Amino acid sequence: FFLRIRRPPRSTLDRSSAASDVYKRQPEDKSAGLHEEKELEPARRIKLEIFEGKESIYEKMSYNHISVPHINLKKTEEAGEEGKLVNSYIIQCGFDISDWAECIKKSELTNDIGWVLKVVSPGPVGIVKDTEKEDREQLIKASWEQDEPGRADKGKTNRERYLALRKKARGEALTPEEEELLKDGQPKKKEEEKKWGMMDKVAKKAGVKEVKKTGGKGAVAKQEDEPEALDLDKPLPDPKDHVNLEIKEYLDHSKRDRIIVVKEIKHKARQRTPEEIASIKQKHENEIGNFEKYIKEKEELREKLKKEREEVKTKYQEQITAELTQMTEGYKQVLQKRNEYKEIVSQRKTKEEELSKMISLDKIDVQQLLSLIEEAKKYKVKETVIEEGVKMVEKCNYSKSIEEQILKSLNDKNWAQAKELYWKAINQQLKIDVKIINDCKNQLVKNKMMDKQATSSL
């Protein structure tokens, strides 16, 4: 596709017209090379528009730079016998005057302003300056020169003569070339006045009242009849009966009272009295004072609005900063929880294996087992494994009590209770010290043998 970069028209008064002044103030020295690319400080609001022909297809406003993430443009092709380009697009960018009113004035801030365009496209892109207006003006000038050869030189000479006259009226010294230009123009002017004077004399002899020059330079003289006398006593229409603004303004002006009314005094104009002069002067001073007051109020209002805009801008920036900070803190908390969960997942298997291994031991340290159960709960080990650990703690405590009872029965030589506790420990597979179980078994066997010997002797 094909893009053309265009500055806003000089005659427009919308926000984008500021780009015209900035564009015209760019330095003409192209040999200076590229300038350092940096953003304006403070940031300025700009407006970007993309046109397809005369229709705007995209519009966006932002501060200092604008990003268009994605846009589809048709392929540029030639159409018709003239080979006119179709599907060509125009990019137009300018400052917002309501945000930066000084951008239309020439200053140090606006002298070196430039625009940077970056395009990322999968296909070829042609980007040129839009010279459609300049080309059209060149064609019009060429057609004028063709119809009237020498018109451009004549216009240039007239312009130089006009500038020389203005210079002379200001009392400035003229160059020899300017004096020569003024001398060349005077005979032509006198010759033209003489020509029209002779025509007026001929017209008077023929009975025509006036010969008027119409149609501009080179126009043929035209005779006009004497106009009819105006009826001054006829009342003017009411301004309310008209819609045209110019007619209404004229009728309103005609119906206003005149400050000076002079009747039937034709030999000389009446001079204003000192009171009238003082009154007019006072009126003018009042008008100037009112105008200065109006300008001052406008300036104060502009400054107030500017201050309000800055406050709103600062408020939104602070709000955005607070939201970003809050979002960052929330993200950190989420990451922390995520890391904790990852640690839990990684430690869960290890703690489950340690707890299972501890449960399977013959001799278990109850305190260590309780510690492993707490860690298993922390890392969310399977409930079945934790329940087995709790049951094993209860079993260990029960085994401890049985073990103490066995030792007591052996010390008291209560063989019947020792025998009962021994078989209870064997049948229930209690976690009792093997040495104690073996001692109890040996004492029971020894006691049984002594009972048999005693019985046989009887």
Side-chain angles (χ1 to χ4, degrees):
F1 50 91
F2 188 73
L3 296 174
R4 290 181 290 167
I5 300 176
R6 181 179 72 183
R7 60 182 174 85
R10 178 66 173 167
S11 58
T12 58
L13 295 177
D14 58 359
R15 295 177 178 176
S16 63
S17 64
S20 173
D21 300 313
V22 175
Y23 185 91
K24 285 196 172 183
R25 290 197 297 271
Q26 299 305 314
E28 296 295 336
D29 185 10
K30 298 182 179 179
S31 63
L34 296 176
H35 295 280
E36 181 184 357
E37 180 182 341
K38 60 181 181 179
E39 294 191 358
L40 287 175
E41 291 293 343
R44 302 299 183 183
R45 187 163 56 193
I46 57 177
K47 178 180 180 182
L48 172 71
E49 290 183 282
I50 300 179
F51 294 88
E52 182 178 1
K54 296 183 179 180
E55 181 181 0
S56 176
I57 62 172
Y58 185 85
E59 180 178 336
K60 189 175 181 181
M61 297 186 72
S62 183
Y63 284 88
N64 271 17
H65 58 84
I66 296 176
S67 298
V68 182
H70 180 74
I71 186 169
N72 289 324
L73 301 177
K74 302 175 183 177
K75 183 179 179 181
T76 304
E77 298 176 349
E78 293 184 357
E81 297 178 357
E82 299 178 356
K84 185 178 180 181
L85 293 177
V86 295
N87 300 334
S88 62
Y89 301 88
I90 296 175
I91 299 177
Q92 176 176 297
C93 191
F95 289 103
D96 184 359
I97 297 181
S98 63
D99 179 66
W100 188 21
E102 293 79 7
C103 67
I104 61 175
K105 299 178 182 178
K106 186 175 181 180
S107 64
E108 294 181 358
L109 295 176
T110 58
N111 279 344
D112 297 329
I113 290 180
W115 301 94
V116 178
L117 175 65
K118 297 180 181 180
V119 180
V120 180
S121 172
V125 181
I127 302 176
V128 297
K129 178 184 174 183
D130 181 26
T131 58
E132 182 180 354
K133 180 180 178 182
E134 290 80 357
D135 295 341
R136 185 166 61 249
E137 291 176 354
Q138 290 295 333
L139 289 174
I140 292 173
K141 291 179 180 179
S143 64
W144 287 348
E145 188 69 20
Q146 185 177 2
D147 293 341
E148 186 181 345
R151 176 169 179 162
D153 295 337
K154 189 186 299 183
K156 182 179 179 182
T157 305
N158 290 336
R159 177 64 179 173
E160 292 175 352
R161 184 181 296 114
Y162 169 74
L163 294 176
L165 287 173
R166 292 289 302 275
K167 190 174 180 181
K168 183 178 180 181
R170 292 194 298 267
E172 299 177 6
L174 301 178
T175 62
E177 293 80 4
E178 291 172 343
E179 292 179 354
E180 190 67 26
L181 277 175
L182 295 180
K183 288 180 181 179
D184 292 342
Q186 289 177 358
K188 293 181 180 179
K189 184 176 180 181
K190 290 180 180 180
E191 183 180 349
E192 187 176 353
E193 291 178 353
K194 183 178 180 181
K195 173 184 173 182
W196 286 106
M198 293 177 63
M199 292 180 68
D200 288 340
K201 290 181 181 179
V202 173
K204 287 180 181 179
K205 289 181 180 180
V208 180
K209 184 174 181 181
E210 183 182 2
V211 177
K212 276 194 174 182
K213 296 180 282 184
T214 60
K217 296 181 180 179
V220 180
K222 180 180 179 182
Q223 296 181 356
E224 292 187 358
D225 296 332
E226 183 178 357
E228 297 181 0
L230 296 176
D231 187 3
L232 300 179
D233 296 331
K234 183 179 179 180
L236 293 173
D238 191 350
K240 297 180 181 179
D241 297 336
H242 290 271
V243 180
N244 188 290
L245 295 178
E246 295 180 356
I247 296 177
K248 290 181 69 175
E249 185 179 356
Y250 170 74
L251 293 175
D252 287 334
H253 173 73
S254 301
K255 287 183 174 294
R256 293 194 194 102
D257 295 333
R258 297 298 185 264
I259 298 176
I260 301 174
V261 180
V262 181
K263 293 183 178 180
E264 298 180 358
I265 302 178
K266 298 182 179 180
H267 58 280
K268 64 177 181 179
R270 186 183 71 87
Q271 293 183 351
R272 292 190 178 96
T273 62
E275 291 78 8
E276 291 175 342
I277 294 174
S279 175
I280 293 172
K281 184 177 179 181
Q282 185 63 35
K283 182 180 178 182
H284 287 175
E285 290 177 354
N286 294 337
E287 290 178 352
I288 292 172
N290 293 334
F291 182 73
E292 290 178 350
K293 181 180 178 182
Y294 171 78
I295 293 297
K296 185 177 180 181
E297 291 176 354
K298 283 289 184 182
E299 291 292 336
E300 292 176 352
L301 179 61
R302 186 180 293 109
E303 292 297 328
K304 180 181 177 182
L305 294 176
K306 184 177 179 181
K307 185 177 180 181
E308 291 178 355
R309 285 196 300 269
E310 292 295 333
E311 290 177 354
V312 171
K313 181 180 174 181
T314 305
K315 178 182 176 182
Y316 278 111
Q317 287 178 347
E318 292 176 353
Q319 183 177 354
I320 291 171
T321 304
E323 292 177 356
L324 286 175
T325 305
Q326 184 179 0
M327 187 183 300
T328 304
E329 293 296 329
Y331 182 68
K332 288 180 179 179
Q333 293 177 3
V334 170
L335 284 180
Q336 184 179 357
K337 291 181 179 179
R338 180 172 177 270
N339 293 332
E340 291 175 356
Y341 183 76
K342 285 176 66 177
E343 184 180 358
I344 289 172
V345 172
S346 62
Q347 295 291 332
R348 181 184 299 167
K349 189 68 176 178
T350 305
K351 297 302 178 183
E352 183 177 346
E353 292 176 355
E354 291 178 357
L355 183 58
S356 300
K357 185 177 179 180
M358 176 65 74
I359 293 171
S360 63
L361 294 176
D362 294 333
K363 189 175 182 180
I364 300 174
D365 186 352
V366 178
Q367 295 299 327
Q368 187 177 359
L369 181 59
L370 288 173
S371 176
L372 286 175
I373 290 173
E374 292 299 326
E375 291 181 359
K377 290 180 180 179
K378 176 182 177 182
Y379 292 105
K380 299 182 180 179
V381 178
K382 293 180 182 179
E383 292 293 335
T384 55
V385 179
I386 294 175
E387 289 176 359
E388 290 179 5
V390 173
K391 289 179 181 179
M392 184 56 66
V393 171
E394 294 175 354
K395 188 176 182 179
C396 289
N397 292 331
Y398 179 67
S399 300
K400 187 69 176 176
S401 64
I402 296 297
E403 181 178 338
E404 292 175 354
Q405 292 178 20
I406 290 173
L407 292 173
K408 184 178 179 183
S409 61
L410 291 176
N411 292 330
D412 297 340
K413 296 183 179 182
N414 188 351
W415 309 117
Q417 185 180 3
K419 183 178 179 180
E420 181 182 355
L421 293 173
Y422 170 78
W423 288 111
K424 183 182 290 187
I426 295 299
N427 294 331
Q428 295 181 4
Q429 297 181 355
L430 299 179
K431 300 290 184 179
I432 298 176
D433 191 358
V434 178
K435 183 176 180 302
I436 296 174
I437 292 293
N438 291 333
D439 291 342
C440 182
K441 180 180 178 181
N442 294 331
Q443 289 292 335
L444 291 174
V445 170
K446 185 177 179 181
N447 184 49
K448 186 176 181 181
M449 291 176 64
M450 289 176 66
D451 289 341
K452 283 183 178 181
Q453 289 178 2
T455 304
S456 63
S457 65
L458 291 175

